Amino acid sequence: MIHVCRKEHFNAAHKLWNPKWSEEKNKEVFGPCANVNWHGHNFELIVTVKGLPDEDTGFVVDLKALSTLIRKLVIDKVDHKNLNVDVDFMEGKMASCENLVMEFWKILEPAVKDITPNGGLYKLTLYETERNFVEYYGD
């Protein structure tokens, strides 16, 4: 099995805030990420596709097609947006990286399958900062 990766970048703001909690508890749990006026990140999304090379092209997936798909379905919807306010698929959800990457999976998994004849989506890695990231395998 071959794993092919494509990295995309986006900028977005968010706030970690549980409306069931007091302001004090939100600040205690989320620290500066609970800033009332939001905060932002330069996110990196790595999409990993698994599969076997196509006989005719030698590709597991056409990386240009994969990039176009990721940009159209995900990046264009989150880039320079407020994840809590502007992104329809995050409505009613905590704007954590964990929830965000799971929503990305729901969007990308069927679309990636369509352009990967001998494979599919394997893993998503979402970097919030250089040192903080999440990985999701769809389970």
Side-chain angles (χ1 to χ4, degrees), residues 4-8 47 49 57 59-76 108 110-117:
V4 178
C5 303
R6 174 68 190 187
K7 185 191 299 187
E8 298 287 347
V47 176
V49 174
T57 65
F59 296 162
V60 170
V61 63
D62 178 334
L63 283 169
K64 184 175 181 180
L66 181 61
S67 176
T68 299
L69 184 139
I70 297 165
R71 294 206 64 73
K72 178 182 171 192
L73 297 180
V74 173
I75 303 302
D76 289 349
L108 291 171
V112 168
K113 183 69 176 159
D114 287 345
I115 64 167
T116 312

Side-chain angles (χ1 to χ4, degrees), residues 95-110:
S96 66
C97 281
E98 293 87 340
N99 287 333
L100 189 59
V101 79
M102 288 191 303
E103 293 303 312
F104 288 172
W105 184 278
K106 290 177 194 174
I107 294 165
L108 291 171
E109 194 274 331

Side-chain angles (χ1 to χ4, degrees), residues 19 23 26 37 39 82 94:
E23 183 175 346
N26 273 287
N37 292 315
H39 69 282
N82 182 317
M94 178 71 71

